[in-house]
Amino acid sequence: MASGKGKNSPSPALTIYPLSPVGAAEIDGIDLSQDLLPEQVAAIRAALADHPVLIFPGQSLSKTRQARFSSHFGELEGHIGKLSDGSTFPTVHTLTNLDAAGTLINMDVARLNWFWHTDKSYHAVPALVTILYAVEVPPSGGDTQFANARLAYDALPTDMKARLDGLRAVHDWVASRINSGTSPATAEQRRARPPISHPLVRTHPETGRKSLYLGVHVSYVEGLPEAESAALLAELTDHIGQDRFVYTHRWRRGDVLMWDNRCLLHRAVPNYEIARHPRVLNRTVVIGTRPF
């Protein structure tokens, strides 16, 4: 399949190949390292409405060009975490399992990504889209899974939808660490990201469709006894993780994935020899809007 290298066509038309009924699609005929026309940006935005996971194969992106592409969709943001040397993550930061010497790095916080979540939900204004560029991938495994929270909501029984109506859940970086069994949040992180309440069912600001909004960052459902809250969150997480709602992406070097955090959950799958094969992805996150 052609990768669309070179100067982008003045035509805004995108060639879209649906990959899954869950909403994943591959887009061909566009080179993300080149300047995009406003019409092309609008076409990508429109494609997200029907295909919340977009795959652009065969790309070659510097970090500068990735930031430029990502900024077409809004303001970029950093990360609450710190690098191993204590410095702040750059806007385009690298997710990897091996250091330059090929030695396994500390995967403590990275393990959090093995649980279903939506990016930055512990922010008052969470992420709109996340963009990952595959620099290096293992020969097999190292997949990323996406669960369509919109389809999962649509499939709920009427009585469950009524039960969820108006409920809110507290998202918290502290809860993320507890739920994933990783190291505790620091005092600085607690101050920087205090707990925030979001609707358990959010409405997409562009499509108007409802979707479940939960994941590993959720601490509890407001107004429910602790046991009932935990049981409800577990039930919904099991529901959304059913195969019928999930697309599994097998990475290829040069893939760029862009997904809509407003209607998807995702998780990394540690189904490869983590201490042997490098998995290197450059990441950008675009700030979204407050859920409602």
Side-chain angles (χ1 to χ4, degrees):
M1 189 176 295
S3 60
K5 292 300 172 192
K7 185 176 180 180
N8 285 321
S9 165
S11 171
L14 302 176
T15 304
I16 301 176
Y17 300 91
L19 299 178
S20 165
V22 168
E26 189 166 280
I27 292 184
D28 195 26
I30 189 167
D31 183 352
L32 302 185
S33 71
Q34 303 298 311
D35 291 335
L36 269 60
L37 299 169
E39 294 87 352
Q40 291 172 315
V41 175
I44 292 171
R45 283 186 176 274
L48 272 176
D50 294 322
H51 311 287
V53 183
L54 296 178
I55 300 102
F56 303 86
Q59 302 294 323
S60 180
L61 286 183
S62 66
K63 289 188 175 182
T64 299
R65 281 294 176 175
Q66 180 169 346
R68 187 179 181 89
F69 167 67
S70 304
S71 66
H72 284 300
F73 304 96
E75 181 184 354
L76 306 187
E77 66 179 347
H79 195 273
I80 190 173
K82 299 287 186 180
L83 296 171
S84 57
D85 62 1
S87 61
T88 302
F89 278 83
T91 304
V92 183
H93 59 273
T94 300
L95 306 177
T96 184
N97 56 311
L98 302 179
D99 63 18
T103 303
L104 182 66
I105 64 172
N106 182 355
M107 297 292 289
D108 173 58
V109 178
R111 292 202 310 273
L112 189 153
N113 294 313
W114 300 347
F115 297 82
W116 288 118
H117 64 286
T118 177
D119 284 339
K120 314 288 186 178
S121 70
Y122 48 84
H123 288 205
V125 182
L128 190 160
V129 294
T130 300
I131 297 167
L132 289 183
Y133 167 57
V135 178
E136 193 166 1
V137 296
S140 63
D143 307 330
T144 299
Q145 292 186 316
F146 298 90
N148 191 314
R150 186 166 60 200
L151 296 181
Y153 175 80
D154 289 346
L156 288 173
T158 302
D159 58 345
M160 175 60 84
K161 290 179 180 178
R163 181 184 177 192
L164 299 180
D165 187 32
L167 288 181
R168 300 179 67 85
V170 173
H171 297 240
D172 186 4
W173 182 246
V174 173
S176 301
R177 299 299 192 90
I178 294 172
N179 293 338
S180 61
T182 53
S183 58
T186 66
E188 179 184 358
Q189 290 168 345
R190 290 170 183 263
R191 290 192 298 270
R193 294 292 181 270
I196 184 72
S197 172
H198 293 308
L200 191 54
V201 176
R202 71 176 294 180
T203 302
H204 198 286
E206 295 171 17
T207 68
R209 295 182 62 182
K210 294 182 178 181
S211 61
L212 295 171
Y213 196 60
L214 65 157
V216 73
H217 301 317
V218 172
S219 179
Y220 60 91
V221 179
E222 292 181 328
L224 297 184
E226 183 178 353
E228 184 180 349
S229 168
L232 178 59
L233 291 172
E235 180 180 355
L236 293 175
T237 301
D238 287 344
H239 172 72
I240 203 172
Q242 293 179 76
D243 289 345
R244 58 179 169 149
F245 305 130
V246 174
Y247 164 71
T248 300
H249 184 71
R250 171 72 186 99
W251 288 95
R252 302 156 297 187
R253 182 179 295 184
D255 277 352
V256 170
L257 260 65
M258 175 181 185
W259 68 85
D260 192 336
N261 285 290
R262 300 167 296 181
C263 59
L264 293 173
L265 273 68
H266 66 281
R267 65 182 179 186
V269 185
N271 58 343
Y272 69 107
E273 295 183 72
I274 294 176
R276 181 180 177 187
H277 298 298
R279 182 179 186 269
V280 183
L281 306 170
N282 288 342
R283 178 178 185 250
T284 42
V285 180
V286 177
I287 299 174
T289 55
R290 191 180 297 269
F292 63 91

